């Protein structure tokens, strides 16, 4: 008896990233995988019955492909539509789509509503671009730092902390951060699902006018880029005095 070749079909699918909110209908699917590029959400690895399900067919601008010899064919087509995209970072559908996005919370060091996004330890070495310091720990060090080093740094006050942005980092005690897609992540940490980085920016920072500063526990603080100023001894002293008057 001849083997049913349809059982060997590998399905791929794509839809625009603008339609990501419609993916809730497949969030519990097992076995399939999801990945993102600049404009497209990619799906693969789902079963025959899933490929024919109404959950997929109801997605707007949804395109289904069959993988043949490294090329993607629309179902029933004899001519391929495109090559298989490369360099995609894949995650299981049921894990990647289980995240929720509650309203943005502006309270940094006492957050009551938490964004359900996890950071995890990372062995990849990243160059730090920002430093968060207690003002009380560094106020004497600012005056002793040569001005040419301060000129390369932008800064802002956040409650009792100073956030310095720029390289090379100042040699102050504090917590270092590295940058991914407009996020400032604690050194040694990364998102559990790296391909959600851009999705989070689209959700919370669509105009890219803010830095999103994260804690290891998965909370974030949006900081307007327009609020940063050039660092100098005088600007630091004036800001510190203004804070004391308030």
């Amino acid at each position: 008896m001849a083997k049913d070749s349809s059982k060997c079909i590998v399905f791929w699918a794509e839809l625009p990233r603008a339609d990501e909110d419609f993916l809730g209908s497949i969030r519990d699917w097992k076995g399939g995988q999801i990945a993102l590029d600049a404009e497209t959400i990619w799906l693969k690895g789902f079963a025959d019955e899933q490929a024919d399900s109404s959950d997929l067919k109801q997605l707007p601008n949804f395109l289904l492909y069959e993988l043949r010899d490294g090329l993607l064919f629309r179902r029933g087509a004899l001519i391929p539509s495109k090559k298989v995209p490369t360099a995609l970072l894949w995650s299981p559908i049921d894990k990647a789509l289980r995240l929720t996005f509650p309203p943005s919370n502006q309270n940094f060091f006492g957050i009551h509503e938490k964004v359900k996004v996890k950071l995890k330890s990372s062995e990849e070495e990243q160059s730090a671009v920002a430093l968060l310091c207690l003002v009380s720990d560094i106020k004497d060090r600012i005056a002793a730092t040569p001005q040419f080093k301060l000129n390369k740094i932008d800064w802002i006050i956040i409650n009792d902390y100073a956030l310095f942005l720029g390289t090379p980092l100042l040699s102050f005690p504090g917590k270092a951060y590295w940058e991914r897609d407009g996020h400032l992540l604690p050194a040694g940490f990364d998102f559990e699902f790296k391909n959600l980085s851009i999705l989070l920016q689209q959700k919370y920072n669509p105009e890219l006018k803010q830095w999103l500063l994260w804690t290891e526990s998965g909370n974030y603080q949006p900081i307007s880029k327009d609020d940063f100023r050039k660092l100098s001894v005088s600007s630091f002293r004036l800001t510190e005095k203004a804070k004391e008057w308030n």
Side-chain angles (χ1 to χ4, degrees):
M1 183 175 181
K3 184 178 179 180
D4 185 359
S5 61
S6 66
K7 294 182 179 179
C8 301
I9 295 175
V10 177
F11 292 103
W12 280 57
E14 68 167 303
L15 69 157
R17 291 188 63 155
D19 297 328
E20 66 188 67
D21 290 339
F22 294 94
L23 290 174
S25 61
I26 64 169
R27 65 184 299 177
D28 294 322
W29 276 18
K30 303 293 183 182
Q33 294 183 298
I34 186 170
L36 310 175
D37 62 22
E39 299 178 353
T40 305
I41 299 171
W42 290 97
L43 305 168
K44 72 172 183 178
F46 35 87
D48 291 11
E49 59 271 19
Q50 291 172 325
D52 291 323
S53 72
S54 59
D55 290 335
L56 280 186
K57 292 179 180 179
Q58 70 183 1
L59 296 176
N61 304 308
F62 170 79
L63 296 176
L64 182 66
Y65 300 101
E66 295 175 2
L67 177 64
R68 307 177 203 161
D69 301 321
L71 299 172
L72 297 178
F73 292 73
R74 295 292 301 274
R75 295 191 76 175
L78 300 177
I79 300 175
S81 297
K82 59 182 63 181
K83 296 180 179 178
V84 173
T86 58
L88 295 175
L89 182 63
W90 295 95
S91 299
I93 289 175
D94 60 327
K95 292 183 179 179
L97 297 183
R98 201 168 292 278
L99 297 170
T100 60
F101 298 98
S104 173
N105 189 298
Q106 306 296 320
N107 182 11
F108 183 34
F109 291 105
I111 293 177
H112 300 293
E113 298 176 43
K114 294 185 177 181
V115 180
K116 295 182 180 179
V117 176
K118 292 183 179 180
L119 271 63
K120 66 176 184 178
S121 297
S122 173
E123 296 181 357
E124 296 181 19
E125 187 173 348
Q126 306 287 351
S127 299
V129 299
L131 187 68
L132 185 68
C133 309
L134 268 170
V135 172
S136 58
D137 289 344
I138 52 93
K139 59 182 180 180
D140 294 333
R141 295 172 180 255
I142 290 286
T145 302
Q147 185 59 46
F148 75 89
K149 291 185 177 181
L150 303 181
N151 289 338
K152 299 179 181 180
I153 304 295
D154 295 326
W155 79 297
I156 190 174
I157 287 285
I158 308 173
N159 298 327
D160 295 326
Y161 291 79
L163 178 65
F164 301 106
L165 183 65
T167 56
L169 291 183
L170 299 171
S171 300
F172 293 166
K175 182 184 292 296
Y177 291 79
W178 65 284
E179 187 266 339
R180 175 191 285 281
D181 301 323
H183 301 281
L184 293 177
L185 301 171
F189 286 81
D190 200 352
F191 292 114
E192 183 179 19
F193 300 110
K194 297 178 183 179
N195 56 348
L196 290 176
S197 176
I198 297 177
L199 276 178
L200 290 168
Q201 284 289 346
Q202 290 179 336
K203 189 73 177 183
Y204 296 116
N205 189 26
E207 296 182 357
L208 301 178
K209 293 182 178 181
Q210 300 171 320
W211 290 105
L212 301 185
L213 181 70
W214 291 83
T215 67
E216 292 90 338
S217 57
N219 302 321
Y220 79 97
Q221 163 76 355
I223 304 170
S224 172
K225 295 180 180 179
D226 291 337
D227 289 342
F228 281 83
R229 72 206 74 177
K230 285 294 180 182
L231 179 60
S232 66
V233 175
S234 60
S235 72
F236 184 85
R237 287 176 175 170
L238 288 172
T239 302
E240 187 182 16
K241 286 180 179 180
K243 190 172 183 300
E244 290 174 355
W245 292 336
N246 292 333

